[in-house]
Amino acid sequence: MTYRAEYIWTDGTEPTAEVRSKTRVLADGDEPGIWGFDGSSTNQAEGSDSDVVLKPVYTCPDPLRGGNDIMVMCETFLPETMEPHPTNMRAKTRAILDKYGDQDFWFGLEQEYTMLDPVTKWPSGFPPNGFPGPQGPYYCGVGALRIHGRDVVEQHTTWCIEAGLNISGTNAEVMPGQWEFQIGPVDALTVGDEIWLARYLLYRAGEDHEIEVSLAAKPMQGDWNGAGMHTNVSTRAMRENYDAVVKAAESLGAPGKPEEHIAGYGHGIELRLTGEHETERYDTFSFGVSDRGASVRIPWQVHQDGKGYIEDRRPNANADPYVVTALLSQTIGEALA
Ligand code: ADP
Ligand code: MN
Ligand code: MN
Ligand code: MN
């Protein structure tokens, strides 16, 4: 008898990496080991030297196929040297955790996204060639006039739970057709693996419902919210005392740091971080308690408890979670070392 393993990896698409997958049929009892693919078709190699190696790093049940079938998140490697492929961002996160991992980082990511009509590319809930009423009633809304695509959300959440991912919630967002799910809190590598797997499942749910999922940072210009990936982060010290919380927030504003982080926080970030729509401007750094107009928010409850975590509100929906956790582990790890 056989079972199927869906190998999943991140590609070399510019400016934003995409998720790719292919199916391997394995004999029962065989482990899903090293495999490979044609990197010349994913912007990861030249045609003359096209093999890229896939190395499994995280496996879980495949909720689409059920039974003994699994999903396998992979890192990519160069075939000759077995060095990490240049597009292997998870390897960079691993290197930073070798230095600062003993601080016991936890991450909780809020992945926002927009559902589009695959033909017109217009967001779900936007009338053809027109606009819905202004923002206000849609966030966490209920009812057919406010909510579009809930069947996709429910399908996706069920699959994430069945896969064993650490999904912690979902909500309808401020713009019609825009939604969010959260993964975490878990360690830096796991949150990256699970965000990519959850994105894969989301695209698959979209296939079933004829919905194109977009991670674009600002899918609609004008008075419509963009889509982010707020990143909540703590270390053991931050979970124990407030001084460490403040120190972590301050470290993100140190000279050179805001620019370095913004550069890794996703494509089109200037369009989204305008200072409007619950954002701070991309070229300004600020932090504050309860402040959803700041770059970094210290939640009210964290201030109250005198310990906890901070929320970096800057990452885009289309950011690579491995890059975001690497940057935050490096900057905060260095400051709290
Ligand atoms: P918001 O109020 O910004 O919408 P959410 O409820 O959507 O917040 O998301 C908060 C996220 O913070 C969740 O993913 C949760 O797992 C995560 N979180 C909670 N506590 C911690 C912690 N100590 N360290 C890191 N992340 C945390
Ligand atoms: Mn949220
Ligand atoms: Mn949100
Ligand atoms: Mn948030």
Side-chain angles (χ1 to χ4, degrees), residues 68-79:
N68 292 328
D69 295 338
I70 58 173
M71 301 196 293
V72 181
M73 189 67 204
C74 298
E75 282 193 32
T76 52
F77 291 83
L78 299 167

Side-chain angles (χ1 to χ4, degrees), residues 222-296:
D223 217 1
W224 304 103
N225 275 33
M229 189 170 64
H230 295 168
T231 299
N232 301 275
V233 56
S234 62
T235 64
R236 195 184 315 108
M238 293 165 71
R239 293 189 294 274
E240 283 165 5
N241 80 80
Y242 196 70
D243 283 350
V245 171
V246 173
K247 218 169 159 186
E250 282 171 351
S251 74
L252 297 171
K257 285 295 178 186
E259 296 79 4
E260 188 190 341
H261 280 249
I262 290 288
Y265 279 1
H267 177 67
I269 202 159
E270 306 80 6
L271 295 175
R272 176 176 151 259
L273 299 185
T274 58
E276 305 288 319
H277 306 114
E278 302 174 58
T279 69
E280 174 61 280
R281 285 181 55 85
Y282 69 94
D283 56 4
T284 306
F285 179 84
S286 62
F287 72 91
V289 175
S290 271
D291 188 352
R292 289 174 196 269
S295 315
V296 170

Side-chain angles (χ1 to χ4, degrees), residues 24-307:
R24 190 175 200 183
V25 179
L26 291 155
D28 278 349
D30 282 359
E31 290 293 312
I34 299 274
W35 203 24
F37 66 97
D38 167 16
S40 70
S41 299
T42 62
N43 202 30
Q44 282 168 304
E46 299 298 327
S48 56
D49 183 15
S50 64
D51 285 323
V52 178
V53 173
L54 290 172
K55 190 166 156 189
V57 293
Y58 180 115
T59 56
C60 61
D62 182 340
L64 288 92
R65 293 186 173 128
N68 292 328
D69 295 338
I70 58 173
M71 301 196 293
V72 181
M73 189 67 204
C74 298
E75 282 193 32
T76 52
F77 291 83
L78 299 167
E80 301 296 330
T81 58
M82 281 304 280
E83 289 288 310
H85 191 276
T87 61
N88 179 349
M89 296 302 156
R90 191 181 189 278
K92 301 189 201 319
T93 314
R94 273 196 285 119
I96 287 164
L97 290 176
D98 283 345
K99 262 167 107 176
Y100 300 117
D102 60 350
Q103 294 185 31
D104 197 11
F105 281 90
W106 290 359
F107 286 90
L109 270 54
E110 306 169 46
Q111 173 74 71
E112 294 179 344
Y113 58 95
T114 309
M115 297 185 192
L116 304 177
D117 179 311
V119 177
T120 63
K121 309 278 168 69
W122 212 232
S124 302
F126 278 56
N129 306 308
F131 292 90
Q135 294 186 157
Y138 309 112
Y139 169 76
C140 296
V142 189
L145 292 176
R146 297 173 177 184
I147 288 301
H148 307 274
R150 200 191 291 278
D151 46 354
V152 178
V153 175
E154 291 300 309
Q155 175 78 89
H156 176 249
T157 307
T158 301
W159 283 347
C160 286
I161 293 168
E162 288 174 359
L165 306 186
N166 289 282
I167 187 166
S168 47
T170 71
N171 59 269
E173 271 302 337
V174 175
M175 187 181 97
Q178 215 162 60
W179 293 85
E180 168 180 316
F181 66 87
Q182 303 104 32
I183 298 277
V186 284
D187 69 84
L189 291 175
T190 303
V191 89
D193 297 339
E194 294 193 6
I195 284 282
W196 278 112
L197 288 167
R199 286 178 179 179
Y200 167 79
L201 292 173
L202 186 56
Y203 292 123
R204 292 296 307 268
E207 287 179 17
D208 282 4
H209 293 87
E210 304 231 19
I211 290 282
E212 173 66 14
V213 171
S214 169
L215 301 183
K218 190 77 176 181
M220 298 304 282
Q221 304 301 306
D223 217 1
W224 304 103
N225 275 33
M229 189 170 64
H230 295 168
T231 299
N232 301 275
V233 56
S234 62
T235 64
R236 195 184 315 108
M238 293 165 71
R239 293 189 294 274
E240 283 165 5
N241 80 80
Y242 196 70
D243 283 350
V245 171
V246 173
K247 218 169 159 186
E250 282 171 351
S251 74
L252 297 171
K257 285 295 178 186
E259 296 79 4
E260 188 190 341
H261 280 249
I262 290 288
Y265 279 1
H267 177 67
I269 202 159
E270 306 80 6
L271 295 175
R272 176 176 151 259
L273 299 185
T274 58
E276 305 288 319
H277 306 114
E278 302 174 58
T279 69
E280 174 61 280
R281 285 181 55 85
Y282 69 94
D283 56 4
T284 306
F285 179 84
S286 62
F287 72 91
V289 175
S290 271
D291 188 352
R292 289 174 196 269
S295 315
V296 170
R297 175 174 69 105
I298 299 176
W300 177 82
Q301 191 69 49
V302 172
H303 183 254
Q304 199 71 5
D305 295 347
K307 62 186 179 188

